[in-house]
Amino acid sequence: MAVLRKNLSKSGLELLEDKKRTLVVQMKDVIIELISNSDEIPTVNYSEYLSEKLGQDYTYLSGIFSEAKGMTVQQFIILKKTDRVKELLTESEMSLSDIAFKLNYSSVAHLSNQFKKNTGLSPSNYREMMDVKTL
């Protein structure tokens, strides 16, 4: 298989699976970068942003992502946003309202519900628990 890949590469070609794997990695990178630099969260929705950024139809991107990762793009985005909320709760004094705004949540309640669903804790309980651990 390695010889085939090498010979294809010499001809400027690649296996379709490699291309799909590359797109999945690029999607993850774009999502993580976008959430990490949440000051730059787009005004368009994530599907449009990913499609535009990667030059591919979102339905295609979504399909290969789900196939490769075993979760939808939306589920991945929620997990990464939850991770970012955890970081902001422990590393900053930002209010939950400010965090919700920064990460483009529709409301504090939406952020809180999503956070609790993914962690089992409310954001304020999580912050308190992390504060106790740092004492």
Side-chain angles (χ1 to χ4, degrees), residues 44-55:
V44 297
N45 62 32
Y46 284 99
S47 58
E48 290 175 33
Y49 185 81
L50 284 168
S51 183
E52 183 180 308
K53 190 85 169 165
L54 300 175

Side-chain angles (χ1 to χ4, degrees), residues 7-85:
N7 288 334
L8 285 172
S9 180
K10 286 179 186 176
S11 301
L13 302 172
E14 62 184 321
L15 291 174
L16 186 56
E17 282 304 309
D18 289 346
K19 184 177 180 188
K20 287 181 178 180
R21 195 173 303 124
T22 300
L23 273 174
V24 169
V25 169
Q26 289 173 333
M27 289 176 70
K28 288 172 54 180
D29 290 347
V30 167
I31 292 166
I32 291 167
E33 179 72 22
L34 194 57
I35 292 169
S36 296
N37 297 324
S38 49
D39 295 335
E40 299 173 21
I41 287 191
T43 53
V44 297
N45 62 32
Y46 284 99
S47 58
E48 290 175 33
Y49 185 81
L50 284 168
S51 183
E52 183 180 308
K53 190 85 169 165
L54 300 175
Q56 298 283 337
D57 177 67
Y58 181 74
T59 304
Y60 173 71
L61 292 172
S62 177
I64 63 168
F65 189 91
S66 295
E67 182 182 309
K69 302 310 290 172
M71 70 173 68
T72 66
V73 174
Q74 189 60 33
Q75 289 168 326
F76 183 77
I77 290 168
I78 290 168
L79 288 175
K80 292 302 152 194
K81 284 177 86 171
T82 300
D83 289 345
R84 184 69 176 132
V85 171

